[in-house]
Amino acid sequence: NTLAGDTRFTCNGAFTADIEPADLLAQMITSCGGLLWYSQGQWKLRPAYYVAPTVSFDEGDFRGPINLSTRHSRRDNFNSVTGIFSGAETNWQPTDYPPVTNAVFVSADGGDEKSIDLDLPFTDTSVEARRIARIFLERNREQLSFTSRFSLKAFQVQVGDIVQITNSRFEWTNKEFEVTNWKFGIESDMSLYIDMTLREISSSVFDDI
């Protein structure tokens, strides 16, 4: 995937044969800030870039209540991201990339800077490292999420898709959410449904720095 003539994400690194496959996959997907999931016998990956929604849901598409979570605990909040990468500019030695801090978030947190480590073992430039770190930071501050049951219209989407939600009770009008979990099921009366977890998202999360 490219951005303004440059490569947005690449995956470059090495590993030893004794690493658990699940741990290796977890390390590799940090290189694109992506979402990885298993569906219908295949692994699927969605890198972290914005794709405008093409599917919208309103009250008529819900088949159950909305279970809403409005914010993280203070423990899970952070306003700065640090970590290591390695590449040609570091002579391939693990080195700290320039930290990514959002001053607006720091101010909202009472002026206290709280960092989290995000090591990027499969990222080989500081530009890509800071891009991934910023997306990680911005995504974390999009704190509204919910789960609900949907009609079969939700067959049109999958994990990683961005959709629009309209709901008068919560005063949402075409509010954008990212699908983070998708599960198909059958009711006792044999009717079909899809359970989804969605997290608020905006195109600005994916802006370059």
Side-chain angles (χ1 to χ4, degrees):
N1 185 254
T2 58
L3 177 68
D6 188 17
T7 302
R8 189 189 300 259
F9 305 120
T10 61
C11 182
N12 300 281
F15 59 91
T16 57
D18 60 346
I19 189 172
E20 291 291 331
D23 294 335
L24 176 59
L25 282 173
Q27 291 181 16
M28 293 179 73
I29 63 172
T30 63
S31 66
C32 66
L35 297 172
L36 181 72
W37 71 100
Y38 189 78
S39 175
Q40 298 178 344
Q42 293 182 325
W43 285 101
K44 298 182 180 181
L45 173 65
R46 177 61 63 86
Y49 65 93
Y50 179 77
V51 177
T54 59
V55 180
S56 300
F57 298 96
D58 59 26
E59 284 94 336
D61 301 310
F62 287 88
R63 294 295 179 267
I66 291 177
N67 299 305
L68 189 68
S69 176
T70 58
R71 64 179 59 246
H72 297 320
S73 68
R74 186 174 180 86
R75 176 177 57 83
D76 294 326
N77 252 353
F78 51 87
N79 47 49
S80 182
V81 180
T82 59
I84 60 172
F85 78 109
S86 60
E89 61 193 282
T90 72
N91 199 27
W92 302 101
Q93 299 303 306
T95 304
D96 292 338
Y97 56 80
V100 175
T101 303
N102 186 308
V104 174
F105 297 161
V106 174
S107 178
D109 294 337
D112 296 327
E113 186 171 317
K114 182 180 179 182
S115 294
I116 192 169
D117 286 331
L118 177 66
D119 291 340
L120 302 171
F122 285 87
T123 297
D124 66 350
T125 74
S126 60
V127 172
E128 288 183 30
R130 295 192 73 238
R131 180 177 296 139
I132 294 165
R134 182 192 176 279
I135 292 171
F136 186 71
L137 173 59
E138 296 286 333
R139 254 183 173 156
N140 185 68
R141 303 298 289 215
E142 300 274 356
Q143 299 190 6
L144 186 69
S145 65
F146 74 92
T147 60
S148 191
R149 183 157 293 180
F150 290 81
S151 70
L152 296 186
K153 184 178 180 180
F155 260 120
Q156 301 176 63
V157 302
Q158 60 182 350
V159 171
D161 283 348
I162 296 173
V163 301
Q164 292 179 325
I165 302 291
T166 295
N167 185 282
S168 58
R169 176 187 173 190
F170 295 106
E171 300 182 347
W172 298 338
T173 302
N174 291 330
K175 183 172 176 60
E176 294 188 354
F177 287 84
E178 184 177 36
V179 180
T180 60
N181 194 32
W182 188 104
K183 184 175 69 173
F184 166 75
I186 304 176
E187 297 275 19
S188 58
D189 63 359
M190 302 305 292
S191 59
L192 307 178
Y193 66 85
I194 292 99
D195 284 339
M196 291 198 296
T197 302
L198 302 102
R199 176 179 57 195
E200 67 175 333
I201 200 71
S202 61
S203 60
S204 62
V205 166
F206 307 97
D207 288 347
D208 194 31
I209 57 174

